């Protein structure tokens, strides 16, 4: 949208990933919504998450291998302790879900 027309919205959402789009859908019940994104809508963290949540489900898998995949996908820019905490939480939740 590269014109000089001024547009007004009740809500502005910055980002076209899952979180932003989920929020946009929810607030659309209450007014107009503008979703502001990069030049290409598919350029989002959600798209790069490669499926999002992962968990260790089999004996041949490990938390360490998931952590390594995350570090590689993040070009080793991820904070390793944060990645470790994330996988320990997901693994704990997954065990609870699998038991039920």
């Amino acid at each position: 949208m590269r014109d000089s027309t001024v547009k007004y919205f009740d809500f502005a959402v910055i980002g076209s990933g899952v979180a932003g789009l989920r929020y946009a859908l929810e607030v659309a019940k209450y007014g107009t919504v503008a979703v502001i994104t990069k030049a290409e809508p598919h350029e989002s963290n959600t798209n790069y998450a490669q499926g999002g949540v992962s968990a260790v489900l089999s004996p041949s898998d490990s938390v360490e291998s998931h952590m390594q995949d995350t570090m590689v996908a993040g070009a080793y820019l991820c904070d390793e302790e944060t990645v470790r905490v994330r996988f320990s939480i997901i693994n704990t939740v997954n065990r609870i879900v699998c038991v039920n």
Side-chain angles (χ1 to χ4, degrees):
M1 175 165 64
R2 297 213 184 262
D3 60 34
S4 60
T5 306
V6 175
K7 302 201 184 297
Y8 295 91
F9 299 92
D10 297 310
F11 301 93
V13 178
I14 311 299
S16 59
V18 169
L21 294 177
R22 173 67 180 96
Y23 179 78
L25 287 171
E26 188 63 32
V27 297
K29 300 172 190 173
Y30 307 103
T32 57
V33 182
V35 176
I36 302 165
T37 188
K38 300 174 186 85
E40 299 294 329
H42 66 273
E43 290 288 325
S44 68
N45 288 332
T46 299
N47 190 46
Y48 290 118
Q50 302 170 8
V53 177
S54 59
V56 177
L57 300 175
S58 76
S60 63
D61 201 358
S62 71
V63 170
E64 289 298 322
S65 69
H66 284 261
M67 287 180 52
Q68 182 62 26
D69 287 347
T70 300
M71 296 302 289
V72 170
Y76 293 92
L77 298 173
C78 305
D79 179 74
E80 190 170 346
E81 183 58 27
T82 302
V83 171
R84 184 174 304 284
V85 169
R86 174 197 181 272
F87 278 104
S88 67
I89 291 169
I90 289 171
N91 211 32
T92 300
V93 169
N94 188 54
R95 280 196 301 266
I96 293 167
V97 172
C98 287
V99 170
N100 291 331

